[in-house]
Short mmCIF file of all heavy atoms in Angstrom, two decimals:
data_model
loop_
_atom_site.label_atom_id
_atom_site.label_comp_id
_atom_site.label_asym_id
_atom_site.label_seq_id
_atom_site.Cartn_x
_atom_site.Cartn_y
_atom_site.Cartn_z
N GLU Q 653 -10.47 22.45 13.35
CA GLU Q 653 -10.79 23.80 12.89
C GLU Q 653 -10.64 24.89 13.94
O GLU Q 653 -10.57 26.07 13.63
CB GLU Q 653 -12.22 23.81 12.35
CG GLU Q 653 -12.38 22.91 11.14
CD GLU Q 653 -13.79 22.87 10.61
OE1 GLU Q 653 -14.62 22.17 11.19
OE2 GLU Q 653 -14.06 23.55 9.61
N GLY Q 654 -10.60 24.49 15.22
CA GLY Q 654 -10.71 25.47 16.29
C GLY Q 654 -9.64 26.54 16.30
O GLY Q 654 -9.93 27.70 16.61
N GLY Q 655 -8.39 26.18 16.00
CA GLY Q 655 -7.33 27.18 16.05
C GLY Q 655 -7.59 28.37 15.15
O GLY Q 655 -7.31 29.52 15.51
N ALA Q 656 -8.15 28.10 13.96
CA ALA Q 656 -8.43 29.18 13.01
C ALA Q 656 -9.62 30.02 13.44
O ALA Q 656 -9.80 31.14 12.95
CB ALA Q 656 -8.70 28.58 11.62
N ILE Q 657 -10.43 29.51 14.36
CA ILE Q 657 -11.59 30.26 14.87
C ILE Q 657 -11.18 31.16 16.03
O ILE Q 657 -11.54 32.33 16.11
CB ILE Q 657 -12.70 29.29 15.31
CG1 ILE Q 657 -13.24 28.52 14.10
CG2 ILE Q 657 -13.83 30.03 16.02
CD1 ILE Q 657 -14.21 27.41 14.46
N GLY Q 658 -10.41 30.60 16.96
CA GLY Q 658 -10.09 31.35 18.17
C GLY Q 658 -8.98 32.36 18.03
O GLY Q 658 -8.94 33.36 18.76
N ALA Q 659 -8.06 32.14 17.08
CA ALA Q 659 -6.89 33.01 16.99
C ALA Q 659 -7.22 34.44 16.56
O ALA Q 659 -6.70 35.40 17.16
CB ALA Q 659 -5.85 32.39 16.05
N PRO Q 660 -8.03 34.66 15.51
CA PRO Q 660 -8.22 36.06 15.07
C PRO Q 660 -8.73 36.99 16.16
O PRO Q 660 -8.13 38.06 16.38
CB PRO Q 660 -9.20 35.92 13.90
CG PRO Q 660 -8.91 34.55 13.35
CD PRO Q 660 -8.64 33.71 14.56
N PRO Q 661 -9.79 36.67 16.90
CA PRO Q 661 -10.22 37.63 17.93
C PRO Q 661 -9.22 37.78 19.07
O PRO Q 661 -9.10 38.87 19.64
CB PRO Q 661 -11.55 37.05 18.43
CG PRO Q 661 -11.53 35.60 18.06
CD PRO Q 661 -10.75 35.54 16.79
N ALA Q 662 -8.48 36.72 19.39
CA ALA Q 662 -7.48 36.85 20.46
C ALA Q 662 -6.40 37.85 20.06
O ALA Q 662 -5.98 38.69 20.87
CB ALA Q 662 -6.86 35.48 20.77
N VAL Q 663 -5.94 37.79 18.80
CA VAL Q 663 -4.91 38.72 18.34
C VAL Q 663 -5.47 40.13 18.23
O VAL Q 663 -4.83 41.11 18.65
CB VAL Q 663 -4.32 38.24 17.00
CG1 VAL Q 663 -3.32 39.26 16.46
CG2 VAL Q 663 -3.65 36.88 17.16
N VAL Q 664 -6.66 40.26 17.67
CA VAL Q 664 -7.28 41.59 17.56
C VAL Q 664 -7.42 42.22 18.94
O VAL Q 664 -7.09 43.40 19.15
CB VAL Q 664 -8.66 41.49 16.87
CG1 VAL Q 664 -9.40 42.83 16.98
CG2 VAL Q 664 -8.50 41.12 15.40
N ASN Q 665 -7.92 41.44 19.89
CA ASN Q 665 -8.13 42.00 21.23
C ASN Q 665 -6.82 42.34 21.92
O ASN Q 665 -6.75 43.30 22.70
CB ASN Q 665 -8.93 41.01 22.08
CG ASN Q 665 -10.41 41.00 21.70
OD1 ASN Q 665 -10.91 41.95 21.11
ND2 ASN Q 665 -11.09 39.92 22.03
N ALA Q 666 -5.75 41.59 21.63
CA ALA Q 666 -4.45 41.93 22.21
C ALA Q 666 -3.96 43.27 21.68
O ALA Q 666 -3.46 44.12 22.44
CB ALA Q 666 -3.45 40.82 21.90
N VAL Q 667 -4.09 43.47 20.37
CA VAL Q 667 -3.67 44.74 19.77
C VAL Q 667 -4.53 45.88 20.32
O VAL Q 667 -4.01 46.96 20.68
CB VAL Q 667 -3.75 44.66 18.24
CG1 VAL Q 667 -3.48 46.04 17.62
CG2 VAL Q 667 -2.75 43.64 17.70
N ALA Q 668 -5.84 45.67 20.37
CA ALA Q 668 -6.73 46.71 20.88
C ALA Q 668 -6.42 47.04 22.33
O ALA Q 668 -6.47 48.21 22.75
CB ALA Q 668 -8.18 46.27 20.73
N ASP Q 669 -6.08 46.03 23.11
CA ASP Q 669 -5.74 46.26 24.52
C ASP Q 669 -4.45 47.07 24.65
O ASP Q 669 -4.34 47.97 25.49
CB ASP Q 669 -5.60 44.91 25.23
CG ASP Q 669 -5.41 45.07 26.73
OD1 ASP Q 669 -6.29 45.66 27.38
OD2 ASP Q 669 -4.38 44.60 27.24
N ALA Q 670 -3.48 46.77 23.79
CA ALA Q 670 -2.23 47.53 23.81
C ALA Q 670 -2.47 49.00 23.48
O ALA Q 670 -1.82 49.90 24.03
CB ALA Q 670 -1.22 46.93 22.84
N LEU Q 671 -3.42 49.24 22.59
CA LEU Q 671 -3.68 50.61 22.14
C LEU Q 671 -4.79 51.29 22.93
O LEU Q 671 -5.18 52.43 22.60
CB LEU Q 671 -4.05 50.60 20.65
CG LEU Q 671 -2.99 50.01 19.70
CD1 LEU Q 671 -3.48 50.06 18.26
CD2 LEU Q 671 -1.66 50.75 19.85
N ALA Q 672 -5.31 50.64 23.96
CA ALA Q 672 -6.42 51.20 24.73
C ALA Q 672 -6.12 52.59 25.30
O ALA Q 672 -7.01 53.44 25.35
CB ALA Q 672 -6.81 50.24 25.84
N PRO Q 673 -4.88 52.89 25.73
CA PRO Q 673 -4.63 54.25 26.25
C PRO Q 673 -4.88 55.35 25.23
O PRO Q 673 -5.05 56.52 25.61
CB PRO Q 673 -3.14 54.19 26.64
CG PRO Q 673 -2.86 52.75 26.90
CD PRO Q 673 -3.71 52.01 25.91
N PHE Q 674 -4.91 55.00 23.95
CA PHE Q 674 -5.12 56.01 22.90
C PHE Q 674 -6.59 56.09 22.49
O PHE Q 674 -6.93 56.83 21.56
CB PHE Q 674 -4.26 55.67 21.68
CG PHE Q 674 -2.80 55.62 21.99
CD1 PHE Q 674 -2.18 54.42 22.29
CD2 PHE Q 674 -2.03 56.78 22.01
CE1 PHE Q 674 -0.83 54.36 22.59
CE2 PHE Q 674 -0.68 56.74 22.31
CZ PHE Q 674 -0.07 55.53 22.61
#
Side-chain angles (χ1 to χ4, degrees):
E653 297 178 281
I657 295 172
V663 176
V664 170
N665 284 339
V667 173
D669 186 59
L671 301 180
F674 301 95

